[in-house]
């Protein structure tokens, strides 16, 4: 019998359900019917009709309680999670000793990392988390199969993320909400920004700063210019790829802007990169070379596009060798340009998700 090949993590990211954790400084008492009624009132552009709901959560019952919703072409779930959002070392060790699985709880080291990566979008995140006394996991996913076509797959994932964002924004709108955590991007977000992301997604626009983490890392140098790298976490949930700008002399803002622009071209602009392509802003003579890195290569957790600055720390050919891509003939412009109304076109008129 042939050995079964494990599914690649890049492919798993495209199939994983989107969910968000909403933190509160007080406890909640609600029913599934009330959740749907609020969603219909707050986000009427989506179809919130359902076939079945189960009675919701009650503050008198602290154990894990689920509130599943069987919608029209979608499934939603709200779960009250036991224990703290952040577990101390002693708490986690006690759970291990008792054989209690607490995989949804972030340990102290993970929390420090989370505060660091969320520092630009939510500098007050630590106080918001410390004030919280309860948190709910909110998820939603489509009952349709994941399409094979690349554009339709992107539209499918956008709809799923939009549905989940709107459903969880029902809770983020509450005055007792203190923070929203998006695991797929490993990011803490202000509740009002999460609500804005839901509204933006309904306008068929990408809420990049809420759905994707754009992080900048400073390189350790003894002399010479400070080198920065930038990367995404969360883009792979939509197209199976992350982005990484290799260390170069761009400042932190410039580095993040270059990665943000590449993400925009892929997700909002509908562009397809080829190994060896170059990208750059029209008003800037800077051209970054794109090289395709497959999962596992150079330690990459997922497939990713690596951007190389022409005067960066390393040359792209040092890592990948020569590219098969050739410059265009004289007079031929093959610049990467976004496709007009790409997202609206691939989403079509299907507004149920």
């Amino acid at each position: 019998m042939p050995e079964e090949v494990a599914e690649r993590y890049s492919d798993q990211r495209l199939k994983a359900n989107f969910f968000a954790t909403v933190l509160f400084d007080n406890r909640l008492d609600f029913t599934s019917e009330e959740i749907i009624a609020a969603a219909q009132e707050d986000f009427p552009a989506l179809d919130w009709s359902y076939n079945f709901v189960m009675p919701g959560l009650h503050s008198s019952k602290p154990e894990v309680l689920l509130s599943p919703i069987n919608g029209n072409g979608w499934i939603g779930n709200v779960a009250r999670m036991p224990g703290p959002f952040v577990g101390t070392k002693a708490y986690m060790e006690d759970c291990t000793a008792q054989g209690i699985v607490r995989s949804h709880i972030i340990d102290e080291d993970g929390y420090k990392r989370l505060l660091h990566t969320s520092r630009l979008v939510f500098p007050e995140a630590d106080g918001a988390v410390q004030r919280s006394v309860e948190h709910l996991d909110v998820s939603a996913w489509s009952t349709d199969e994941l399409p094979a076509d690349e554009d339709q797959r992107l539209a499918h994932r956008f709809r799923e993320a939009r549905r989940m964002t709107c459903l969880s924004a029902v809770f983020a709108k509450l005055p007792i909400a203190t923070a929203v955590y998006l695991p797929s991007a490993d990011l803490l977000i202000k509740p009002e920004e999460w609500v804005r992301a839901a509204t933006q997604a309904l306008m068929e626009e990408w809420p990049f700063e809420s759905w994707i983490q754009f992080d900048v890392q400073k390189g350790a140098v003894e002399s010479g210019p400070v080198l920065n790298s930038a990367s995404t976490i969360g883009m792979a949930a939509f197209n199976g790829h992350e982005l990484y700008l290799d260390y170069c002399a761009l400042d932190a803002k410039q580095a993040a802007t270059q990665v943000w622009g590449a993400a925009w071209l892929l997700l909002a602009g509908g562009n397809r990169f080829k190994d060896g392509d170059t990208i750059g802003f029209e008003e800037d003579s800077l051209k970054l070379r794109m090289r395709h890195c497959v999962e596992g290569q150079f330690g990459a957790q997922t497939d990713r596009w690596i951007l190389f600055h022409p005067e960066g720390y390393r040359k792209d050919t040092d890592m990948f060798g020569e590219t098969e891509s050739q410059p265009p003939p004289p007079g031929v412009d093959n610049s990467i340009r976004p496709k007009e109304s790409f997202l609206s076109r691939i989403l079509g008129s299907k507004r149920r998700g």
Side-chain angles (χ1 to χ4, degrees):
M1 179 179 293
E3 184 177 347
E4 185 175 347
V5 178
E7 186 175 34
R8 298 183 336 125
Y9 184 57
S10 302
D11 299 325
Q12 294 177 30
R13 292 297 307 275
L14 285 169
K15 298 177 181 178
N17 295 337
F18 288 103
F19 79 91
T21 301
V22 187
L23 285 69
F24 308 94
D25 61 14
N26 211 331
R27 291 182 65 79
L28 289 171
D29 184 4
F30 57 87
T31 66
S32 298
E33 291 85 352
E34 289 172 334
I35 299 172
I36 293 297
Q40 290 171 335
E41 180 178 351
D42 294 344
F43 305 106
L46 293 185
D47 177 9
W48 294 101
S49 58
Y50 59 88
N51 303 314
F52 169 81
V53 298
M54 184 177 290
L57 312 178
H58 297 277
S59 57
S60 61
K61 299 179 180 179
E63 66 270 18
V64 179
L65 289 174
L66 304 180
S67 186
I69 304 164
N70 187 350
N72 179 22
W74 60 278
I75 296 174
N77 197 56
V78 179
R80 168 171 284 135
M81 307 310 294
F85 178 70
V86 180
T88 63
K89 182 178 180 180
Y91 179 86
M92 302 299 278
E93 289 177 348
D94 184 57
C95 289
T96 301
Q98 297 184 52
I100 301 174
V101 177
R102 290 287 185 259
S103 58
H104 62 279
I105 297 177
I106 298 175
D107 62 26
E108 290 178 305
D109 290 339
Y111 182 57
K112 291 177 183 178
R113 183 195 68 247
L114 179 59
L115 289 178
H116 176 76
T117 56
S118 304
R119 67 194 184 281
L120 298 178
V121 295
F122 199 178
E124 311 87 2
D126 186 36
V129 171
Q130 298 303 329
R131 292 197 312 274
S132 67
V133 298
E134 173 170 275
H135 55 284
L136 303 176
D137 279 356
V138 183
S139 57
W141 61 95
S142 172
T143 57
D144 296 338
E145 292 289 332
L146 186 70
D149 177 78
E150 191 171 335
D151 287 350
Q152 288 307 308
R153 187 167 61 233
L154 182 62
H156 176 93
R157 294 298 282 169
F158 181 93
R159 291 191 194 99
E160 289 190 309
R162 178 173 64 186
R163 169 77 66 179
M164 181 278 298
T165 304
C166 289
L167 188 61
S168 52
V170 167
F171 295 96
K173 278 189 172 186
L174 298 174
I176 62 174
T178 65
V180 177
Y181 172 56
L182 182 64
S184 61
D186 199 23
L187 196 63
L188 283 165
I189 303 141
K190 296 178 181 179
E192 60 269 26
E193 291 300 327
W194 191 248
V195 174
R196 186 175 293 112
T199 303
Q200 193 174 356
L202 284 173
M203 297 170 61
E204 299 182 347
E205 298 175 359
W206 285 89
F208 282 103
E209 287 77 12
S210 294
W211 282 359
I212 299 172
Q213 178 194 137
F214 294 89
D215 192 34
V216 177
Q217 296 291 331
K218 183 182 295 185
V221 292
E222 296 181 358
S223 61
V226 174
L227 301 180
N228 289 301
S229 70
S231 59
T232 63
I233 296 178
M235 193 178 79
F238 297 96
N239 66 3
H241 284 72
E242 299 291 356
L243 288 163
Y244 174 75
L245 171 66
D246 199 34
Y247 283 101
C248 61
L250 294 177
D251 62 34
K253 183 178 180 180
Q254 290 172 325
T257 298
Q258 295 294 336
V259 171
W260 191 97
W264 191 94
L265 285 171
L266 286 168
L267 299 180
N271 295 106
R272 306 276 180 84
F273 293 162
K274 298 188 299 293
D275 184 52
D277 279 350
T278 57
I279 63 170
F281 297 109
E282 290 184 2
E283 65 274 12
D284 194 346
S285 59
L286 170 66
K287 299 294 182 183
L288 302 175
R289 186 166 296 279
M290 310 283 298
R291 299 305 301 264
H292 189 249
C293 177
V294 298
E295 178 180 324
Q297 192 176 17
F298 306 114
Q301 286 188 317
T302 67
D303 293 339
R304 64 179 178 176
W305 290 101
I306 301 182
L307 291 70
F308 289 90
H309 189 284
E311 298 177 2
Y313 176 67
R314 291 177 291 197
K315 299 293 185 183
D316 68 290
T317 51
D318 294 339
M319 295 179 66
F320 294 94
E322 295 295 334
T323 175
E324 296 180 3
S325 177
Q326 298 295 325
V332 175
D333 182 8
N334 69 343
S335 302
I336 295 176
R337 290 188 174 86
K339 300 175 182 178
E340 186 175 357
S341 303
F342 168 72
L343 183 58
S344 295
R345 178 171 55 79
I346 63 174
L347 288 173
S349 59
K350 187 176 182 181
R351 295 305 300 268
R352 76 180 191 188

